Amino acid sequence: MPKIVDSEEYRKELLDKCFDLFANKGYANVTTRQIAKELGISTGAMYHYFPSKQVLFEQLVDRISWQDVKLLKSIAHDGTIAERIYRLGQLLIEYEEHFVKQAVIWTDFYHHHALAEINDNPVLQQVDRRYQEAIEELLDLPDPKLARFVWTLINGILFEQVESAYSFSFAEQIDLLSQMLIAYCEKHLA
Amino acid sequence: MPKIVDSEEYRKELLDKCFDLFANKGYANVTTRQIAKELGISTGAMYHYFPSKQVLFEQLVDRISWQDVKLLKSIAHDGTIAERIYRLGQLLIEYEEHFVKQAVIWTDFYHHHALAEINDNPVLQQVDRRYQEAIEELLDLPDPKLARFVWTLINGILFEQVESAYSFSFAEQIDLLSQMLIAYCEKHLA
Amino acid sequence: MPKIVDSEEYRKELLDKCFDLFANKGYANVTTRQIAKELGISTGAMYHYFPSKQVLFEQLVDRISWQDVKLLKSIAHDGTIAERIYRLGQLLIEYEEHFVKQAVIWTDFYHHHALAEINDNPVLQQVDRRYQEAIEELLDLPDPKLARFVWTLINGILFEQVESAYSFSFAEQIDLLSQMLIAYCEKHLA
Amino acid sequence: MPKIVDSEEYRKELLDKCFDLFANKGYANVTTRQIAKELGISTGAMYHYFPSKQVLFEQLVDRISWQDVKLLKSIAHDGTIAERIYRLGQLLIEYEEHFVKQAVIWTDFYHHHALAEINDNPVLQQVDRRYQEAIEELLDLPDPKLARFVWTLINGILFEQVESAYSFSFAEQIDLLSQMLIAYCEKHLA
DNA sequence: AATGAATGAGGTTTCATTCAT
DNA sequence: TATGAATGAAACCTCATTCAT
């Protein structure tokens, strides 16, 4: 029993260790040898902990999503809409690097699966729902669609951070988004 | 003389033909043999027109960006901010499929290049600037950053279309974004 | 009839034009497209004059051997052994570049044929015999083996010119070889 | 520690195994699959030991040169010039097959590298110098050029063995060369 | 549990040759 | 005759995965 716990812990440790690698190079551009090297173990040992590269990646994505949701749930959920939006923004700014990488990896994940496969995967569906729920709970907007939409826009900003050399700062963009949301809420949800 | 024109035309035709393939499967998941088959030519012929898979992909991205910018420039640039935002939204909705694929391919493109390489590439810089300019001109907002930000958010929505099975309709999301922008403008730019 | 003559002349011209190319890069490192470009014609035209790359190469080797033999026969055949050896040396020095290239190409030629194939080829046998005869006639030594041996040693010096950065000058080496031959003849053939 | 030794030993073993293949067919005419087959391993395993076909070949050439020099140094260096020349001849005759192949491969090696590249390569320069030194030491002639020249002539005879079906025996040619050298030395170096 | 050498299918690319124009 | 686009077999090489140790 305790051994399994250790092993389980070790697996999570390994997943965390290759987070950056996938975020920087993308799934298809990273070889199993590179992963093993980054993890400081042999390829054989890697296959002892994960049945395949694909499964390793999937477990990484899964783990990240839990971390994200946990982070989102850690924010205080009281106060006005404007206050809650502000707090979300502050969280994103604080963990900018993490969220940018998460967005990159998530994109890669979808690229490497057929859509049918994704929609049939109950684990992924659940993860997706949990993101949605976390945002919904936090912002507590009248329309759940609106919460999802906010997350969509945030992802847009996160992608932009990776891709463009000309983008202005993440904090500035998150601020701007907050102001837009607040203006929208004041006008339409008053 | 006419031969060069034909050959150039044919190359563009070939690029258009593999647009969907890259959009659906991603750069690394498409083999040269698959591309050649999709194009209806032999791999040898493919290499007659493009020196490598990578260059083919780069030329595809380049071509798409020109098409996009041309589309953006085709919209009437007069009227109020709200009207212009509305027209941009209508264009995106009309060409939804195209713009979603473009976003996917663009993402893939960035994933398969080192950042340094991208920032050193004058062609890419120019393309990037042209996108920015096109949006700026169209929306004619007081702050150029704001225009870029709009494009960033639009890309977020486009990515969402690919990735999520639970997103609501593209048209609805674009509408929502328009309303947000209008609310923001009314409040801050009045 | 005159047309065939022209065509034949043109073919020889083409062979001469690609002499340097093969000498510098070797058979396997030269592509048909490079040859065609060097010849200033299309690959299609090239295949009009030569049925294959291999045959083109063989005809080149054949042509070179005739030129060499012709050169060797052009020397005056009278005087003492020492004089004849001297004259041969002067010829080699005068046409150094040509003979070096010839040696390189000849080597390449053998490398790209199975030995059995070479020994079965009557044309090649004849060429080989003609070289031997030309040297024999020129040096007029008591033992025909000796003449062949001289040619063998000359080829060694020619190869050295290509391969080594440290070799001393071709003229010096040919001189040294002449002195050796003369010393040998004085001692053994007196 | 012992593992590295084994691996290093195995690499040398692999090099020795493909010596004949390159000698018979030449670099460009041997495919990686053929090499792997000859070595009795998969292409993947081959690439585990050598980063490319070219590097494999270079390491083979390097290895051969060391073996040659070692052989040359193994001869007794005392006695008269005639005796030393005789001993060198006997060594060449004894290892005829090896030296012929070495000459062939060395030629091929030069053909597949740009001259500039060869002259810039310190390893190759050193190898070249070592050949020279070994011959110089062995023959102990008054002029170092003369020693190099002897090696040049020997190579000529070695090439002849490969190329010509009409050459007389290697032993006979080496004998003849010895007599020439001796005659030359008696006349000029007395 | 751990290692890393080994596998071999499959990737990108090349190139001698053909053929419609 | 001449062109050069097109072919496709085959080249070199990679890499996820396995397995003897």
Side-chain angles (χ1 to χ4, degrees):
Chain A
M1 197 69 140
K3 250 204 172 161
I4 291 170
V5 170
D6 282 349
S7 178
E8 202 49 29
E9 275 308 304
Y10 190 47
R11 264 191 46 243
K12 286 178 185 170
E13 221 180 284
L14 293 177
L15 288 175
D16 289 339
K17 271 189 193 163
C18 54
F19 182 33
D20 286 18
L21 201 58
F22 281 118
N24 290 333
K25 302 187 136 210
Y27 180 81
N29 293 325
V30 173
T31 69
T32 49
R33 275 201 260 273
Q34 279 177 305
I35 299 169
K37 199 175 179 183
E38 182 82 8
L39 297 181
I41 59 175
S42 67
T43 57
M46 201 186 97
Y47 274 84
H48 177 73
Y49 289 103
F50 307 98
S52 72
K53 183 188 174 187
Q54 167 128 314
V55 167
L56 161 58
F57 186 57
E58 283 169 3
Q59 293 191 2
L60 171 61
V61 170
D62 185 52
R63 181 161 168 73
I64 292 168
S65 73
W66 285 106
Q67 290 175 340
D68 289 349
V69 168
K70 203 173 153 194
L71 270 175
L72 291 176
K73 296 212 171 190
S74 71
I75 308 173
H77 285 50
D78 57 347
T80 63
I81 288 183
E83 281 166 356
R84 294 193 305 271
I85 289 174
Y86 174 78
R87 280 190 223 114
L88 174 58
Q90 290 310 106
L91 182 81
L92 292 169
I93 290 165
E94 188 180 358
Y95 292 99
E96 174 183 347
E97 206 183 310
H98 170 85
F99 279 107
V100 167
K101 285 174 186 167
Q102 163 270 328
V104 170
I105 285 181
W106 202 248
T107 305
D108 227 35
F109 181 74
Y110 275 95
H111 232 143
H112 291 279
H113 289 80
L115 269 186
E117 192 188 339
I118 286 169
N119 296 343
D120 289 356
N121 189 326
V123 174
L124 290 179
Q125 283 177 28
Q126 211 191 340
V127 165
D128 202 54
R129 249 194 312 273
R130 288 200 146 253
Y131 265 115
Q132 167 108 19
E133 273 170 32
I135 289 280
E136 269 180 42
E137 270 180 44
L138 174 57
L139 295 182
D140 189 30
L141 297 169
D143 187 351
K145 279 182 181 178
L146 211 51
R148 166 134 222 144
F149 186 61
V150 170
W151 188 241
T152 298
L153 298 182
I154 288 168
N155 275 317
I157 296 172
L158 291 168
F159 292 142
E160 177 79 3
Q161 283 311 104
V162 188
E163 294 187 1
S164 180
Y166 297 105
S167 64
F168 47 107
S169 88
F170 182 66
E172 233 178 317
Q173 291 192 63
I174 291 296
D175 269 357
L176 204 46
L177 180 61
S178 298
Q179 287 173 39
M180 267 187 194
L181 289 172
I182 288 165
Y184 176 84
C185 291
E186 285 170 354
K187 182 174 169 192
H188 293 278
L189 310 180
Chain B
M1 195 73 135
K3 265 220 167 140
I4 291 172
V5 170
D6 283 348
S7 181
E8 202 51 27
E9 275 307 304
Y10 189 46
R11 263 191 49 244
K12 287 179 184 169
E13 222 180 284
L14 293 176
L15 288 176
D16 290 339
K17 271 191 194 162
C18 54
F19 182 32
D20 287 16
L21 201 58
F22 280 118
N24 290 333
K25 301 190 141 207
Y27 180 80
N29 293 323
V30 173
T31 70
T32 50
R33 278 198 256 269
Q34 280 177 305
I35 298 169
K37 199 174 178 184
E38 180 83 8
L39 296 181
I41 59 176
S42 65
T43 57
M46 197 187 103
Y47 276 84
H48 179 72
Y49 288 102
F50 307 98
S52 70
K53 182 187 172 187
Q54 167 129 310
V55 167
L56 160 58
F57 186 55
E58 284 170 4
Q59 292 192 3
L60 171 61
V61 169
D62 187 52
R63 180 160 169 75
I64 292 169
S65 74
W66 285 106
Q67 290 175 342
D68 290 349
V69 168
K70 204 173 154 195
L71 269 177
L72 292 175
K73 296 210 172 193
S74 71
I75 307 174
H77 285 49
D78 57 347
T80 66
I81 289 183
E83 282 165 356
R84 293 194 304 272
I85 290 174
Y86 174 76
R87 278 190 223 112
L88 173 59
Q90 289 311 106
L91 182 81
L92 292 169
I93 290 165
E94 187 181 358
Y95 291 99
E96 174 183 347
E97 206 183 312
H98 171 84
F99 278 108
V100 167
K101 285 174 185 166
Q102 164 269 330
V104 170
I105 285 180
W106 203 247
T107 305
D108 226 37
F109 180 75
Y110 275 94
H111 231 143
H112 291 279
H113 289 80
L115 268 187
E117 192 188 340
I118 286 169
N119 296 343
D120 287 357
N121 190 327
V123 174
L124 292 180
Q125 283 177 28
Q126 212 192 340
V127 165
D128 203 54
R129 248 193 313 272
R130 288 202 147 250
Y131 265 116
Q132 168 109 20
E133 274 172 32
I135 288 281
E136 269 181 43
E137 270 181 47
L138 173 58
L139 295 183
D140 189 29
L141 296 170
D143 187 352
K145 277 183 182 178
L146 212 52
R148 165 136 222 143
F149 186 62
V150 171
W151 187 241
T152 298
L153 298 181
I154 288 168
N155 275 315
I157 296 172
L158 291 168
F159 293 141
E160 176 78 5
Q161 283 311 105
V162 188
E163 294 187 1
S164 181
Y166 296 105
S167 62
F168 48 109
S169 89
F170 182 67
E172 231 177 319
Q173 291 191 65
I174 291 294
D175 268 356
L176 203 47
L177 180 62
S178 297
Q179 287 173 39
M180 266 187 195
L181 289 172
I182 290 166
Y184 176 84
C185 290
E186 285 170 353
K187 183 173 169 192
H188 293 276
L189 309 180
Chain C
M1 199 68 139
K3 249 204 173 163
I4 291 171
V5 170
D6 282 349
S7 179
E8 202 51 29
E9 274 308 304
Y10 189 47
R11 263 191 47 243
K12 286 178 184 170
E13 220 181 286
L14 293 176
L15 288 175
D16 289 339
K17 272 190 192 162
C18 55
F19 181 33
D20 286 17
L21 201 58
F22 281 117
N24 289 333
K25 303 188 137 209
Y27 179 81
N29 292 324
V30 173
T31 68
T32 49
R33 276 199 259 273
Q34 279 177 302
I35 299 169
K37 199 175 178 183
E38 183 82 7
L39 297 181
I41 59 175
S42 66
T43 56
M46 201 186 97
Y47 274 84
H48 178 73
Y49 288 103
F50 306 98
S52 71
K53 182 188 174 186
Q54 168 127 313
V55 167
L56 160 59
F57 186 56
E58 283 169 4
Q59 293 192 3
L60 170 62
V61 170
D62 185 52
R63 180 160 169 75
I64 292 168
S65 74
W66 284 107
Q67 290 175 341
D68 289 349
V69 168
K70 203 174 155 193
L71 270 175
L72 292 175
K73 297 212 171 190
S74 71
I75 308 173
H77 285 48
D78 57 346
T80 65
I81 289 184
E83 283 166 355
R84 294 195 304 272
I85 289 174
Y86 174 78
R87 280 191 222 111
L88 172 58
Q90 289 311 107
L91 182 80
L92 291 169
I93 291 165
E94 186 181 358
Y95 293 98
E96 173 183 349
E97 207 184 311
H98 171 85
F99 279 108
V100 168
K101 285 175 186 167
Q102 164 270 327
V104 170
I105 285 180
W106 203 248
T107 305
D108 226 37
F109 181 73
Y110 275 95
H111 232 146
H112 293 278
H113 291 80
L115 269 186
E117 190 188 342
I118 286 168
N119 296 344
D120 289 356
N121 189 325
V123 174
L124 291 179
Q125 283 177 29
Q126 210 192 341
V127 166
D128 202 53
R129 249 194 311 273
R130 288 200 147 253
Y131 265 114
Q132 167 106 21
E133 275 171 30
I135 288 280
E136 270 180 42
E137 271 180 45
L138 173 57
L139 296 182
D140 189 29
L141 296 169
D143 187 351
K145 278 184 182 178
L146 212 50
R148 166 135 222 144
F149 186 61
V150 171
W151 187 242
T152 298
L153 298 181
I154 288 168
N155 276 317
I157 297 171
L158 291 168
F159 293 142
E160 177 79 3
Q161 283 310 105
V162 188
E163 294 187 0
S164 181
Y166 297 104
S167 63
F168 47 108
S169 88
F170 182 68
E172 233 177 316
Q173 291 192 63
I174 290 295
D175 269 357
L176 203 46
L177 180 61
S178 297
Q179 288 173 40
M180 268 189 194
L181 288 172
I182 289 165
Y184 176 84
C185 290
E186 285 170 355
K187 182 175 169 192
H188 293 278
L189 309 180
Chain D
M1 198 75 133
K3 265 220 166 138
I4 291 171
V5 171
D6 283 348
S7 180
E8 202 49 28
E9 275 308 305
Y10 188 47
R11 262 190 48 243
K12 286 177 184 169
E13 221 180 284
L14 292 176
L15 287 175
D16 290 339
K17 271 190 193 162
C18 54
F19 182 31
D20 287 16
L21 200 58
F22 281 117
N24 290 334
K25 302 189 139 207
Y27 179 81
N29 293 323
V30 174
T31 70
T32 49
R33 276 201 257 272
Q34 279 177 306
I35 298 170
K37 200 175 179 183
E38 181 82 8
L39 296 180
I41 58 177
S42 64
T43 57
M46 197 186 102
Y47 277 85
H48 180 72
Y49 289 101
F50 307 99
S52 70
K53 182 188 173 186
Q54 166 127 312
V55 167
L56 160 58
F57 186 55
E58 283 169 5
Q59 293 192 2
L60 171 61
V61 170
D62 187 53
R63 181 161 169 74
I64 292 168
S65 74
W66 285 106
Q67 290 175 342
D68 289 349
V69 169
K70 204 174 154 194
L71 269 176
L72 292 175
K73 297 211 171 192
S74 71
I75 307 174
H77 284 49
D78 58 347
T80 64
I81 288 183
E83 282 167 356
R84 295 195 303 272
I85 289 173
Y86 174 77
R87 278 191 223 112
L88 173 58
Q90 289 310 107
L91 183 80
L92 293 169
I93 290 165
E94 186 180 358
Y95 292 99
E96 173 183 348
E97 205 184 312
H98 170 85
F99 279 108
V100 168
K101 286 174 186 167
Q102 164 269 330
V104 170
I105 284 181
W106 202 248
T107 305
D108 225 36
F109 181 73
Y110 276 94
H111 230 143
H112 291 279
H113 290 80
L115 267 187
E117 193 188 340
I118 286 167
N119 294 345
D120 288 356
N121 190 326
V123 174
L124 291 179
Q125 283 177 28
Q126 212 192 339
V127 165
D128 203 54
R129 250 193 311 272
R130 288 203 147 250
Y131 265 115
Q132 167 108 19
E133 274 172 32
I135 288 281
E136 269 180 43
E137 271 181 46
L138 174 58
L139 296 182
D140 190 30
L141 297 170
D143 187 351
K145 278 183 183 179
L146 213 51
R148 167 138 221 142
F149 186 61
V150 170
W151 186 242
T152 298
L153 299 181
I154 289 169
N155 276 316
I157 296 172
L158 291 168
F159 294 140
E160 177 78 5
Q161 283 310 106
V162 189
E163 294 186 2
S164 181
Y166 297 104
S167 63
F168 48 108
S169 89
F170 182 68
E172 232 176 318
Q173 291 192 64
I174 290 296
D175 268 356
L176 203 46
L177 180 62
S178 297
Q179 287 172 40
M180 267 188 195
L181 289 171
I182 288 163
Y184 177 83
C185 291
E186 285 171 353
K187 182 174 169 191
H188 293 277
L189 309 179

